[in-house]
Amino acid sequence: MIHSDPRFRTVVEPFRLKMVEPIHFPSREERVAAIGAAHHNLFALPAELVTIDLLTDSGTGAMSTEQWAALLRGDESYAGATSFRRFERVVQELTGFPYVLPTHQGRAAERLLFAHFGGPGVIIPNNSHFDTTRAHVEATGSVAVDLPSPLAGDTQLEAPFKGDMDLDALEALLKNQGSRVPVVCVTITNNAAGGQPVSMANLRAVRALCDKYGKPLFLDAARFAENAWFVREREPGYSRIDVRTIAQEAFRLADGTWVSAKKDGLVNIGGFLAFKDETLLTPLRNGLILNEGFPTYGGLAGRDLEALAVGLTEVTDEDYLRYRARSVAWLGHGLERGGMPVLKPFGGHAVYLDARRLLPDWSPDDLPAQALAVALYVEGGVRGVEIGTLMFGRTRPDGHQVAAPRELVRLALPRRVYTQAHVDYVIEVGTWVAQHKECLQRLRIEWEPEALRHFTARLHPIRSSARGLRQLESP
Ligand code: F0G
């Protein structure tokens, strides 16, 4: 294995390409026109006008030869498909949970789960809810409470497990309002807090609190393999344990899980719920039949289940995970060297740019992280996603914004898609933007929907920069 040969330090992509997909290089003028037509919302861009697409690592990965081969084996029987049983066995082996329900993606599982646990007066704690999770919790009338580690607030602190849950805060909640809490959730890795991992020590402590207060523990485990990789790399006592065993141990600390398989399932669509409490089976399965499909296919085709069964097995390959973590770190270090403030340490699936540190005098009303994301697109055709006030804030009655705790731009790396040259290009673009930050344009919200506003909001710049980026482009 080349990676363990101390003479050679390059971390090679652990795959070679068999099929290629062209990417596009629209001109800067075309990008300026496109972002205007998209109302400065990167979700509204046609994908062919994006050069490097780091909007999300969700459903954007490349499947392996084994996964493509498995597709042909898909059994499309409505009920009792062999593909389901193959998928079910893989999930059972990984999670240890006997009951497995396929869903078309993570949020479908969230809908089923919180339709069961949620409702008015209910409180759902999580280390950090991701946007769709929070929206599903709140849609039932429940309150979604984030209890991240106090370390997560400092974007510069190099702590190994900034994804952890705040145990004191969880205990205080369970002690004071325990009757309102039907389930405790932990998201691995903690996406909203920078793709940071959760330690096994923290998970065990959460488990102990759940036992003490009689609550079930559910993992939002979209990135379970990346989490296990960081545990292996960073947590005392785990350096010699293989990643799959660590992932299994994490699931075995919980009572159930929901997984968006579009991440560490290495598929373009898919998800599942798995749990050990038999009494959950009837309500969740009925919800599944109503919303998604018969329990042996959920919202998926038989071939999707086949690809997922292979993906869930491939993702704990250690050459793959080493390359994955190193790609993210390469991007992060490069941007940092170029003067872009970044959240540290680097997470599992993405680098998070810290727009508040880049633009310290901007108000949340100016949407600094969205402005930075727009600049990366306009200057280099790089699409990231804002994780700041546009995503997690809201407009007050007086028109001002309630600020999100952080103003971040996430550059998420799709799995097995981009090579080092792509990443080097993104570093160059980010460096250029950081060095010309005075040209970024402050934004305002022109129109927004009631929930999940960042997906469809329309924005406009409030002033053109004094010099204008175009003049700077050719000095
Ligand atoms: N949980 C986490 C931690 C997620 O990151 C996501 C999706 C979901 C649940 C919902 O899953 O998309 O399959 O319905 N995150 C994507 C992202 C969209 O870009 O981070 P889904």
Short mmCIF file of all heavy atoms in Angstrom, two decimals, residues 55-58 104-110 128-133 187-192 220-223 258-263 269-271 349 352 385 387 410 412 455, ligand 1:
data_model
loop_
_atom_site.label_atom_id
_atom_site.label_comp_id
_atom_site.label_asym_id
_atom_site.label_seq_id
_atom_site.Cartn_x
_atom_site.Cartn_y
_atom_site.Cartn_z
N LEU A 55 -21.24 23.15 -3.67
CA LEU A 55 -22.48 23.51 -2.96
C LEU A 55 -22.76 22.49 -1.87
O LEU A 55 -23.17 22.84 -0.77
CB LEU A 55 -23.64 23.52 -3.96
CG LEU A 55 -25.00 23.94 -3.43
CD1 LEU A 55 -25.03 25.41 -3.09
CD2 LEU A 55 -26.10 23.62 -4.44
N THR A 56 -22.56 21.24 -2.17
CA THR A 56 -22.85 20.20 -1.19
C THR A 56 -22.07 18.93 -1.52
O THR A 56 -21.68 18.70 -2.68
CB THR A 56 -24.36 19.89 -1.15
OG1 THR A 56 -24.58 18.83 -0.19
CG2 THR A 56 -24.90 19.46 -2.49
N ASP A 57 -21.88 18.12 -0.50
CA ASP A 57 -21.31 16.78 -0.69
C ASP A 57 -22.45 15.76 -0.72
O ASP A 57 -22.21 14.57 -0.59
CB ASP A 57 -20.35 16.45 0.46
CG ASP A 57 -21.08 16.43 1.80
OD1 ASP A 57 -21.97 17.27 2.03
OD2 ASP A 57 -20.76 15.55 2.63
N SER A 58 -23.67 16.23 -0.87
CA SER A 58 -24.83 15.36 -0.73
C SER A 58 -25.37 14.91 -2.08
O SER A 58 -25.88 15.73 -2.86
CB SER A 58 -25.93 16.12 0.02
OG SER A 58 -27.05 15.30 0.18
N HIS A 104 -36.27 7.77 0.75
CA HIS A 104 -35.60 8.27 -0.47
C HIS A 104 -34.44 9.18 -0.15
O HIS A 104 -33.51 9.31 -0.94
CB HIS A 104 -36.60 8.90 -1.44
CG HIS A 104 -36.98 10.31 -1.10
ND1 HIS A 104 -37.99 10.61 -0.23
CD2 HIS A 104 -36.46 11.50 -1.49
CE1 HIS A 104 -38.10 11.92 -0.12
NE2 HIS A 104 -37.18 12.48 -0.86
N GLN A 105 -34.46 9.85 0.99
CA GLN A 105 -33.27 10.59 1.45
C GLN A 105 -33.45 10.90 2.92
O GLN A 105 -34.43 10.47 3.54
CB GLN A 105 -32.99 11.82 0.60
CG GLN A 105 -34.06 12.89 0.57
CD GLN A 105 -33.66 14.02 -0.38
OE1 GLN A 105 -33.92 13.96 -1.56
NE2 GLN A 105 -33.03 15.06 0.14
N GLY A 106 -32.48 11.63 3.48
CA GLY A 106 -32.47 11.82 4.93
C GLY A 106 -33.71 12.51 5.46
O GLY A 106 -34.28 12.12 6.48
N ARG A 107 -34.15 13.56 4.76
CA ARG A 107 -35.25 14.35 5.32
C ARG A 107 -36.56 13.58 5.34
O ARG A 107 -37.46 13.90 6.12
CB ARG A 107 -35.37 15.68 4.59
CG ARG A 107 -35.82 15.60 3.17
CD ARG A 107 -35.50 16.87 2.43
NE ARG A 107 -34.06 17.01 2.25
CZ ARG A 107 -33.48 18.04 1.61
NH1 ARG A 107 -34.21 19.03 1.16
NH2 ARG A 107 -32.17 18.09 1.46
N ALA A 108 -36.69 12.56 4.50
CA ALA A 108 -37.90 11.73 4.55
C ALA A 108 -37.88 10.92 5.86
O ALA A 108 -38.93 10.74 6.51
CB ALA A 108 -37.94 10.79 3.35
N ALA A 109 -36.71 10.47 6.24
CA ALA A 109 -36.58 9.77 7.52
C ALA A 109 -36.87 10.73 8.67
O ALA A 109 -37.54 10.37 9.65
CB ALA A 109 -35.17 9.19 7.65
N GLU A 110 -36.39 11.96 8.54
CA GLU A 110 -36.65 12.97 9.59
C GLU A 110 -38.16 13.22 9.72
O GLU A 110 -38.70 13.33 10.82
CB GLU A 110 -35.96 14.30 9.23
CG GLU A 110 -34.46 14.22 9.37
CD GLU A 110 -33.72 15.39 8.73
OE1 GLU A 110 -34.37 16.22 8.03
OE2 GLU A 110 -32.50 15.47 8.91
N SER A 128 -26.19 19.79 17.09
CA SER A 128 -26.66 20.88 16.21
C SER A 128 -27.59 20.27 15.18
O SER A 128 -27.18 19.35 14.47
CB SER A 128 -25.51 21.57 15.47
OG SER A 128 -24.58 22.11 16.36
N HIS A 129 -28.79 20.79 15.10
CA HIS A 129 -29.69 20.34 14.05
C HIS A 129 -29.20 20.87 12.72
O HIS A 129 -28.83 22.04 12.62
CB HIS A 129 -31.10 20.90 14.26
CG HIS A 129 -31.80 20.36 15.47
ND1 HIS A 129 -31.61 20.86 16.73
CD2 HIS A 129 -32.72 19.38 15.59
CE1 HIS A 129 -32.38 20.20 17.58
NE2 HIS A 129 -33.07 19.29 16.93
N PHE A 130 -29.23 20.04 11.67
CA PHE A 130 -29.00 20.62 10.35
C PHE A 130 -30.29 21.28 9.89
O PHE A 130 -31.33 21.13 10.51
CB PHE A 130 -28.46 19.60 9.34
CG PHE A 130 -27.86 20.31 8.16
CD1 PHE A 130 -26.78 21.16 8.34
CD2 PHE A 130 -28.40 20.19 6.89
CE1 PHE A 130 -26.24 21.88 7.27
CE2 PHE A 130 -27.86 20.91 5.82
CZ PHE A 130 -26.78 21.74 6.00
N ASP A 131 -30.24 22.03 8.78
CA ASP A 131 -31.39 22.86 8.42
C ASP A 131 -32.68 22.07 8.22
O ASP A 131 -33.73 22.43 8.74
CB ASP A 131 -31.09 23.78 7.22
CG ASP A 131 -30.67 23.04 5.95
OD1 ASP A 131 -30.51 21.81 6.00
OD2 ASP A 131 -30.51 23.70 4.90
N THR A 132 -32.58 20.94 7.49
CA THR A 132 -33.81 20.18 7.24
C THR A 132 -34.30 19.51 8.53
O THR A 132 -35.51 19.37 8.73
CB THR A 132 -33.58 19.07 6.19
OG1 THR A 132 -32.53 18.21 6.65
CG2 THR A 132 -33.22 19.66 4.84
N THR A 133 -33.37 19.12 9.39
CA THR A 133 -33.77 18.48 10.65
C THR A 133 -34.54 19.49 11.49
O THR A 133 -35.63 19.21 12.00
CB THR A 133 -32.52 18.01 11.42
OG1 THR A 133 -31.54 17.55 10.50
CG2 THR A 133 -32.87 16.94 12.41
N THR A 187 -25.73 14.51 16.02
CA THR A 187 -25.41 14.51 14.58
C THR A 187 -23.91 14.25 14.40
O THR A 187 -23.08 14.99 14.94
CB THR A 187 -25.79 15.88 13.98
OG1 THR A 187 -27.17 16.12 14.26
CG2 THR A 187 -25.59 15.90 12.48
N ILE A 188 -23.61 13.17 13.67
CA ILE A 188 -22.19 12.84 13.42
C ILE A 188 -21.95 12.82 11.91
O ILE A 188 -22.70 12.18 11.20
CB ILE A 188 -21.79 11.50 14.07
CG1 ILE A 188 -22.63 10.33 13.54
CG2 ILE A 188 -21.90 11.56 15.57
CD1 ILE A 188 -22.15 8.96 13.98
N THR A 189 -20.94 13.53 11.44
CA THR A 189 -20.26 14.64 12.08
C THR A 189 -21.23 15.82 12.20
O THR A 189 -22.27 15.82 11.56
CB THR A 189 -19.04 15.09 11.24
OG1 THR A 189 -19.51 15.43 9.91
CG2 THR A 189 -18.00 14.00 11.09
N ASN A 190 -20.82 16.81 12.99
CA ASN A 190 -21.69 17.94 13.25
C ASN A 190 -21.59 18.94 12.09
O ASN A 190 -20.71 19.79 12.06
CB ASN A 190 -21.28 18.58 14.58
CG ASN A 190 -22.26 19.62 15.05
OD1 ASN A 190 -22.99 20.20 14.26
ND2 ASN A 190 -22.27 19.85 16.35
N ASN A 191 -22.50 18.81 11.16
CA ASN A 191 -22.44 19.57 9.91
C ASN A 191 -22.59 21.07 10.16
O ASN A 191 -21.78 21.87 9.70
CB ASN A 191 -23.54 19.06 8.97
CG ASN A 191 -23.46 19.62 7.57
OD1 ASN A 191 -22.51 20.30 7.21
ND2 ASN A 191 -24.46 19.33 6.76
N ALA A 192 -23.62 21.44 10.92
CA ALA A 192 -23.89 22.87 11.12
C ALA A 192 -22.77 23.54 11.91
O ALA A 192 -22.59 24.75 11.84
CB ALA A 192 -25.23 23.05 11.83
N ASP A 220 -28.08 11.16 14.01
CA ASP A 220 -28.21 11.62 12.62
C ASP A 220 -26.83 11.35 12.01
O ASP A 220 -25.90 12.13 12.17
CB ASP A 220 -28.55 13.12 12.63
CG ASP A 220 -28.60 13.71 11.23
OD1 ASP A 220 -28.31 12.99 10.26
OD2 ASP A 220 -28.95 14.91 11.10
N ALA A 221 -26.72 10.21 11.34
CA ALA A 221 -25.40 9.65 11.04
C ALA A 221 -25.03 9.74 9.55
O ALA A 221 -24.42 8.84 8.99
CB ALA A 221 -25.34 8.20 11.52
N ALA A 222 -25.37 10.86 8.93
CA ALA A 222 -25.08 11.01 7.49
C ALA A 222 -23.60 10.81 7.19
O ALA A 222 -23.24 10.30 6.14
CB ALA A 222 -25.54 12.40 7.02
N ARG A 223 -22.73 11.22 8.13
CA ARG A 223 -21.28 11.15 7.87
C ARG A 223 -20.59 10.29 8.93
O ARG A 223 -19.58 10.67 9.51
CB ARG A 223 -20.73 12.57 7.79
CG ARG A 223 -21.37 13.39 6.65
CD ARG A 223 -20.90 14.83 6.57
NE ARG A 223 -21.56 15.56 5.48
CZ ARG A 223 -22.75 16.17 5.58
NH1 ARG A 223 -23.41 16.15 6.71
NH2 ARG A 223 -23.27 16.79 4.53
N TRP A 258 -30.97 7.83 11.90
CA TRP A 258 -31.44 8.10 10.55
C TRP A 258 -30.24 8.58 9.75
O TRP A 258 -29.35 9.24 10.28
CB TRP A 258 -32.61 9.07 10.51
CG TRP A 258 -32.31 10.51 10.69
CD1 TRP A 258 -32.10 11.44 9.71
CD2 TRP A 258 -32.23 11.24 11.93
NE1 TRP A 258 -31.89 12.67 10.27
CE2 TRP A 258 -31.96 12.58 11.62
CE3 TRP A 258 -32.37 10.88 13.27
CZ2 TRP A 258 -31.83 13.58 12.59
CZ3 TRP A 258 -32.22 11.86 14.24
CH2 TRP A 258 -31.95 13.18 13.90
N VAL A 259 -30.22 8.18 8.49
CA VAL A 259 -29.04 8.41 7.68
C VAL A 259 -29.47 8.96 6.32
O VAL A 259 -30.29 8.35 5.63
CB VAL A 259 -28.25 7.10 7.49
CG1 VAL A 259 -27.11 7.28 6.49
CG2 VAL A 259 -27.69 6.61 8.84
N SER A 260 -28.91 10.10 5.96
CA SER A 260 -28.98 10.54 4.58
C SER A 260 -27.85 9.81 3.87
O SER A 260 -26.68 10.14 4.05
CB SER A 260 -28.77 12.05 4.47
OG SER A 260 -28.51 12.35 3.10
N ALA A 261 -28.18 8.81 3.07
CA ALA A 261 -27.15 7.99 2.43
C ALA A 261 -26.47 8.69 1.27
O ALA A 261 -25.56 8.15 0.65
CB ALA A 261 -27.77 6.67 1.97
N LYS A 262 -26.90 9.93 0.99
CA LYS A 262 -26.30 10.70 -0.09
C LYS A 262 -24.91 11.20 0.28
O LYS A 262 -24.22 11.80 -0.52
CB LYS A 262 -27.21 11.89 -0.42
CG LYS A 262 -28.59 11.44 -0.90
CD LYS A 262 -29.58 12.58 -1.02
CE LYS A 262 -29.25 13.46 -2.20
NZ LYS A 262 -30.31 14.49 -2.41
N LYS A 263 -24.53 10.98 1.52
CA LYS A 263 -23.18 11.37 1.95
C LYS A 263 -22.34 10.09 2.06
O LYS A 263 -21.87 9.57 1.06
CB LYS A 263 -23.25 12.11 3.29
CG LYS A 263 -23.80 13.53 3.18
CD LYS A 263 -25.29 13.58 3.18
CE LYS A 263 -25.82 14.98 3.39
NZ LYS A 263 -27.27 15.05 3.21
N ILE A 269 -28.80 9.08 -4.40
CA ILE A 269 -30.09 9.24 -3.71
C ILE A 269 -30.26 8.07 -2.74
O ILE A 269 -29.86 6.95 -3.05
CB ILE A 269 -31.26 9.33 -4.72
CG1 ILE A 269 -32.54 9.86 -4.06
CG2 ILE A 269 -31.53 7.99 -5.41
CD1 ILE A 269 -32.53 11.35 -3.79
N GLY A 270 -30.86 8.36 -1.58
CA GLY A 270 -31.11 7.26 -0.65
C GLY A 270 -30.99 7.69 0.79
O GLY A 270 -30.39 8.72 1.11
N GLY A 271 -31.60 6.90 1.65
CA GLY A 271 -31.53 7.15 3.08
C GLY A 271 -32.19 6.01 3.81
O GLY A 271 -32.74 5.10 3.18
N HIS A 349 -15.95 16.87 5.62
CA HIS A 349 -16.49 16.91 4.26
C HIS A 349 -16.34 18.27 3.61
O HIS A 349 -16.72 18.43 2.45
CB HIS A 349 -17.97 16.52 4.26
CG HIS A 349 -18.86 17.47 5.02
ND1 HIS A 349 -18.77 17.67 6.37
CD2 HIS A 349 -19.85 18.28 4.60
CE1 HIS A 349 -19.67 18.55 6.75
NE2 HIS A 349 -20.34 18.94 5.70
N TYR A 352 -14.87 25.42 5.89
CA TYR A 352 -15.82 26.48 6.18
C TYR A 352 -15.06 27.79 6.27
O TYR A 352 -14.15 27.93 7.10
CB TYR A 352 -16.54 26.20 7.50
CG TYR A 352 -17.46 25.00 7.48
CD1 TYR A 352 -16.96 23.71 7.30
CD2 TYR A 352 -18.84 25.15 7.67
CE1 TYR A 352 -17.80 22.61 7.29
CE2 TYR A 352 -19.68 24.04 7.66
CZ TYR A 352 -19.16 22.79 7.47
OH TYR A 352 -20.00 21.69 7.47
N VAL A 385 -21.80 27.16 -0.29
CA VAL A 385 -23.12 27.47 0.29
C VAL A 385 -22.94 28.29 1.56
O VAL A 385 -22.04 28.04 2.35
CB VAL A 385 -23.95 26.19 0.57
CG1 VAL A 385 -23.38 25.37 1.71
CG2 VAL A 385 -25.40 26.54 0.86
N ILE A 387 -23.65 29.33 5.20
CA ILE A 387 -24.20 28.77 6.44
C ILE A 387 -24.06 29.89 7.45
O ILE A 387 -23.11 29.95 8.23
CB ILE A 387 -23.47 27.48 6.87
CG1 ILE A 387 -23.58 26.44 5.76
CG2 ILE A 387 -24.06 26.94 8.18
CD1 ILE A 387 -23.24 25.02 6.15
N ARG A 410 -19.60 27.32 3.34
CA ARG A 410 -19.11 25.94 3.30
C ARG A 410 -18.70 25.57 1.88
O ARG A 410 -19.49 25.72 0.96
CB ARG A 410 -20.20 24.99 3.79
CG ARG A 410 -19.72 23.56 3.92
CD ARG A 410 -20.86 22.64 4.27
NE ARG A 410 -21.74 22.44 3.12
CZ ARG A 410 -22.78 21.61 3.10
NH1 ARG A 410 -23.08 20.92 4.18
NH2 ARG A 410 -23.52 21.47 2.03
N ALA A 412 -18.01 22.32 0.25
CA ALA A 412 -18.12 20.87 0.52
C ALA A 412 -17.55 20.10 -0.67
O ALA A 412 -17.90 20.39 -1.82
CB ALA A 412 -19.57 20.50 0.74
N PHE A 455 -32.96 28.55 0.45
CA PHE A 455 -33.06 27.83 -0.82
C PHE A 455 -33.66 28.68 -1.93
O PHE A 455 -33.30 28.54 -3.09
CB PHE A 455 -33.92 26.57 -0.66
CG PHE A 455 -33.24 25.47 0.12
CD1 PHE A 455 -33.80 24.98 1.29
CD2 PHE A 455 -32.04 24.92 -0.33
CE1 PHE A 455 -33.18 23.96 2.00
CE2 PHE A 455 -31.41 23.91 0.38
CZ PHE A 455 -31.98 23.42 1.55
N1 F0G B 1 -28.76 15.42 8.38
C1 F0G B 1 -27.58 16.00 8.07
C2 F0G B 1 -26.50 16.08 9.09
C3 F0G B 1 -27.40 16.52 6.80
O1 F0G B 1 -26.24 17.09 6.49
C4 F0G B 1 -28.46 16.43 5.86
C5 F0G B 1 -28.31 16.97 4.52
C6 F0G B 1 -29.65 15.81 6.23
C7 F0G B 1 -29.75 15.31 7.51
C8 F0G B 1 -30.81 15.67 5.28
O2 F0G B 1 -30.56 14.70 4.35
O3 F0G B 1 -30.47 15.89 2.14
O4 F0G B 1 -30.73 13.42 2.27
O5 F0G B 1 -32.58 14.89 2.90
N2 F0G B 1 -27.39 17.75 4.21
C9 F0G B 1 -27.10 18.25 2.88
C10 F0G B 1 -25.95 19.20 2.96
C11 F0G B 1 -28.25 18.72 2.10
O6 F0G B 1 -25.69 19.90 1.97
O7 F0G B 1 -25.27 19.24 3.99
P1 F0G B 1 -31.13 14.73 2.83
#
